Amino acid sequence: MRDTLYNKTLTRVALPAATRTANAAVNGTSVDLGVFGNDFRTVMFVVQTGTVTDGSWVFTLQESYDNSAWTAVPATRVQGSLPTVVAANDDTVLEFGYVPSDRQYVRVVVTSTGSTTGAAIGAVALCSEASSVPVARA
């Protein structure tokens, strides 16, 4: 059997897709890097937008040992650029990576300003480089 991308990655919801209108920070869904005993060593986040009518939507990353106390991820462990979504980003896919440290959990945070009607935004985490291949799924 070929060693395929399916055998090497596991996709998790990082930010449920929704139309967001509030000017506030929204914490994404916690991504457990040890889920099903996989111990993932790298993550790529994929952000997908729908209609973006107004506002600016800034993405950041946080990590945690215990899924409770969160700290900002240092820029040295972010691959690519953390995106800022604006009206020009209608129907766009944006991506950036995360190199884990000794923390088990990571999440995206999106903070909006200048929004009245908002933006449709969601994100998934593609977890890879597990401790064993194929990755465990359940």
Side-chain angles (χ1 to χ4, degrees):
M1 177 184 352
R2 287 180 31 191
D3 199 8
T4 64
L5 185 61
Y6 177 81
N7 287 333
K8 295 179 181 180
T9 61
L10 184 66
T11 306
R12 311 306 289 164
V13 173
L15 181 70
T19 299
R20 304 177 191 285
T21 58
N23 287 306
V26 175
N27 295 330
T29 304
S30 174
V31 176
D32 181 354
L33 301 179
V35 67
F36 308 130
N38 284 302
D39 298 322
F40 291 107
R41 293 184 285 276
T42 188
V43 180
M44 183 171 79
F45 290 92
V46 180
V47 176
Q48 182 177 8
T49 67
T51 301
V52 182
T53 56
D54 63 4
S56 177
W57 308 80
V58 177
F59 280 79
T60 57
L61 281 175
Q62 294 180 336
E63 58 191 0
S64 174
Y65 289 108
D66 59 6
N67 202 23
S68 178
W70 295 89
T71 58
V73 171
T76 56
R77 289 194 287 107
V78 175
Q79 296 174 311
S81 298
L82 292 169
T84 297
V85 173
V86 296
N89 298 120
D90 271 3
D91 302 314
T92 302
V93 173
L94 306 160
E95 57 194 22
F96 55 94
Y98 166 69
V99 179
S101 62
D102 55 349
R103 313 281 172 33
Q104 183 169 343
Y105 303 93
V106 62
R107 70 180 180 190
V108 297
V109 177
V110 62
T111 304
S112 63
T113 57
S115 173
T116 56
T117 53
I121 300 176
V124 296
L126 300 173
C127 303
S128 186
E129 294 187 35
S131 54
S132 63
V133 174
V135 300
R137 297 199 179 284

